[in-house]
């Protein structure tokens, strides 16, 4: 069985999605990529399988174009979104898609999440962006691939760095997050849900649409992520 | 004891209502129908019995007109709603009634739930409909039967297919869902609650009243339910 | 030790307050009354004791004027509200005071809870009433006794029956509920919280201020509580 | 190892933050101070360590100026806020910082929490104050120290007593609470979250911006905290 340790990481990330309540039923999925060879391999959840029943052997291995390399089950129906993101964002090693309650509500309202506080600034540099809705043509021609395409377009047009902004809301759908590996991707999915929840209530309480002043959000982001980071044990 | 396996399915569906927190106290009920003979039989929860104490033997068996065939306890006070739906919607094999928190809030506000995203579109084709309120005459003459009647009227007048739209909100009351069997009916009750929760927050965040463009919702519904479905292991 | 069985009932009702999450920390209290003799006795939680540590022996016994008959600890600081309600509402046998999340929010907003649906109608005949705020004089002269007095005034002036309306919101404070015994009082506290939660969300979704038409709420209340009740096993 | 008993208290307070769900991931921290000698010592959580893995030996000991006296790990990145508060508020013995869901939403909306009811009045004398946002200069020169400085300025300018008002919302950030020891500080963090939750819903239901009349809030605060307190077992 190829890629044993990556399979274990992807299995754990999928289990974390369920354990943290980020996706009820079989909604949601996690994947990881091994870029150590010329032909990178993606490990992803199979489609429509319960989290509780999932094993490492059930996971599906594909190449970066989504061709199945190993696995008896059909891969997640969102596979082509994952592979496109791995091709376009070479810095990332894991992707998580959830339907978590508050992040999905923002996605369904087609609104980016402004940075209202330091909880947000510690993880996301600026607002959590929202994509354009898919057009009728994009849906008809290649829905799943074009979901990846609108994410990439969103980042390119706003000149966003996928390392500093480790996730996005797909309009009318739900969030995707990523990280250097599957474990970090699922941590970002969990933090994004928390940020979305705080921001929902801040909006109801009348927080200004443009969030906190940028000098605070810049400071907080850089104290965790910049070259002069002072947070944690380093 | 008649219908042992259906009793077990109906028992489990009732227990799922409690386990998933869809109806506190003794609110809510699940039933199933066996259509294999000329005289279909309905198995339903008895009235006012705690979910924790419920056994398969407590369940009540009736014919499609609600006449008791077997059972020492009184059937759910909502029996006549269930039997009417079984008579009018021959495709369905299980019905669940809950007072789940967000779906009931929409029912109490007498609002249909617009389709705001793919979580919704995967399960319900178009909005989750809401019935007309019962008139004073309908309440006085036959409250429970007329609850079924307003549901059927809602589906007939809007030409809705109960397979594609597996549930409804009864105005000023709460949701009813159904499926091909009791297990699917309770899954739909749980998903409806999730959809209602997401939609509540989307509305607060300013989502447009008419939901997402139909090309997205059509696509998503058909990828799970149409003849060309691509979701899950088939 | 006097009143052993009532002590057990009051202990269980206090434990239920904690188990159902109706009052964090030492907020809230339950009591019961034994009216079997000429000199009725009240059993009530001591003040400021953790629910987890509470034993039947810790409970305090008083007469209907609040004079301590048995008990080493100080009674709940809300004692005089309880005793006044027992004197004025002779039909009731148990009282529960909580700071549950949604019912307290309505009390703090000084709003009665309209009847928006059948969940409400099954337990409360008409809106859940809210008292007047206490005046400065009422606070200064006898805060706890006057909390009982504003409740009684609210019921007398609106000609409400405390059996049909088993609870109230004290403006700027929190709910009190009651029942024929301590167990029913705590069930009503739990149902009131559920009703308050549903109603909060219904209001946000635009439910009309006057609730559902009275023909529905009357019907539902009477099917559980009238002489022709059809709900449950009787 | 210095200060063994204070270490245990600080460890338990940090574990309570996690157990009560007041700060997900490694957000939040608790500290305590020993003022028994001429050179008071502060015990504080290390930076970025999971609550589940934390031991008493991991805690960091500093003097009141934040100089490390004992400990192999880096102290919480919020250390300079804690030490400034210990220097300026000599009555306090423990400090807790969380990112709890509703208190943080109020902080992000830059709104003080009005006193809407007796739950609030029992713990906080008057509104829970909110600081000014930090200026660009304050962020650039000494972000963490200036977080403490805006808290102190908020209390000095409004003539607030840190014993009667045991916490604050830092604008665009999150709450800090304190008490006579770490256990009381974490209890106040938990109560503040409850107050913030009740107040959020009261605001949505239309509670007036200035809260309940002061004669009620004064009475309630003094019955728990004044020289004539009547609450609890004393």
């Amino acid at each position: 069985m190829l890629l044993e340790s990556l399979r274990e990481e992807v299995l754990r990330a999928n289990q974390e999605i369920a354990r943290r309540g980020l996706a009820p039923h079989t909604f949601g999925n996690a994947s990881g990529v091994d870029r150590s060879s010329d032909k990178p391999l993606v490990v992803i959840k199979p489609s429509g399988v319960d989290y509780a029943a999932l094993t490492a052997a059930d996971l599906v291995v594909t190449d970066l174009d989504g061709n199945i390399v190993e696995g008896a089950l059909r891969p997640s129906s969102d596979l082509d979104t994952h592979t496109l993101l791995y091709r376009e964002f070479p810095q990332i090693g894991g992707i998580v898609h959830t339907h978590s309650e508050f992040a999905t509500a923002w996605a369904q309202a087609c609104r980016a999440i402004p940075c209202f506080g330091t909880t947000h600034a510690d993880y996301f540099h600026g607002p959590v962006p929202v994509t354009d809705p898919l057009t009728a043509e994009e849906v008809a021609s290649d829905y799943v691939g074009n979901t990846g395409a609108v994410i990439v377009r969103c980042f390119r047009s706003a000149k966003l760095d996928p390392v500093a902004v480790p996730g996005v809301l797909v309009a009318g759908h739900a969030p995707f997050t990523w990280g250097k590996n599957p474990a970090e991707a699922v941590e970002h999915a969990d933090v994004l849900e928390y940020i979305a929840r705080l921001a929902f209530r801040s909006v109801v309480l009348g927080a200004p649409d443009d969030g906190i002043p940028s000098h605070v959000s810049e400071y907080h982001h850089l104290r965790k992520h910049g070259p002069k980071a002072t947070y944690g044990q380093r």
Side-chain angles (χ1 to χ4, degrees), chain A:
Chain A
M1 205 162 77
L2 291 169
L3 302 167
E4 287 217 35
S5 72
L6 183 59
R7 277 176 188 271
E8 287 301 326
E9 286 178 58
V10 172
L11 177 64
R12 271 200 301 277
N14 276 291
Q15 290 168 336
E16 277 296 288
I17 290 173
R19 196 182 67 81
R20 292 175 183 275
L22 299 173
H25 300 270
T26 61
F27 305 161
N29 42 68
S31 72
V33 66
D34 178 344
R35 298 188 193 266
S36 64
S37 79
D38 277 4
K39 305 215 163 183
L41 294 176
V42 172
V43 176
I44 193 165
K45 179 170 178 284
S47 181
V49 172
D50 264 356
Y51 290 102
L54 195 66
T55 67
D58 293 335
L59 298 173
V60 183
V61 182
T62 77
D63 65 20
L64 275 189
D65 295 313
N67 300 304
I68 294 181
V69 175
E70 194 174 280
L73 298 173
R74 288 166 68 157
S76 164
S77 57
D78 295 310
L79 171 66
D80 293 352
T81 309
H82 289 243
T83 53
L84 183 68
L85 293 178
Y86 286 129
R87 292 196 304 267
E88 296 287 333
F89 297 163
Q91 312 96 317
I92 70 178
I95 296 173
V96 163
H97 171 48
T98 76
H99 287 218
S100 66
E101 298 190 12
F102 284 86
T104 302
W106 283 88
Q108 290 193 160
C110 303
R111 286 179 70 171
I113 306 177
C115 179
F116 287 127
T118 58
T119 322
H120 180 128
D122 280 343
Y123 282 87
F124 281 81
H125 197 189
V128 180
V130 65
T131 68
D132 290 329
L134 272 73
T135 63
E137 291 70 38
E138 287 168 334
V139 167
S141 66
D142 175 11
Y143 175 75
V144 182
N146 282 326
T147 296
V150 293
I151 294 173
V152 172
R153 197 166 71 212
C154 169
F155 273 65
R156 300 277 186 254
S157 68
K159 299 192 176 11
L160 300 176
D161 170 6
V163 173
V165 182
V168 69
L169 307 172
V170 176
H173 188 166
F176 283 81
T177 57
W178 46 79
K180 61 181 187 251
N181 52 41
E184 196 180 83
V186 79
E187 182 190 349
H188 290 158
D190 196 45
V191 167
L192 172 55
E193 177 63 10
Y194 201 72
I195 289 170
R197 203 179 308 174
L198 294 176
F200 174 83
R201 291 166 187 153
S202 298
V203 162
V204 171
L205 290 170
D209 276 358
D210 47 2
I212 51 172
S214 64
H215 58 265
V216 176
S217 56
E218 287 298 305
Y219 174 83
H220 250 265
H221 193 74
L222 297 177
R223 89 168 174 169
K224 278 195 90 161
H225 298 284
K228 300 186 183 168
T230 59
Y231 183 87
Q233 307 297 331
R234 307 179 189 227

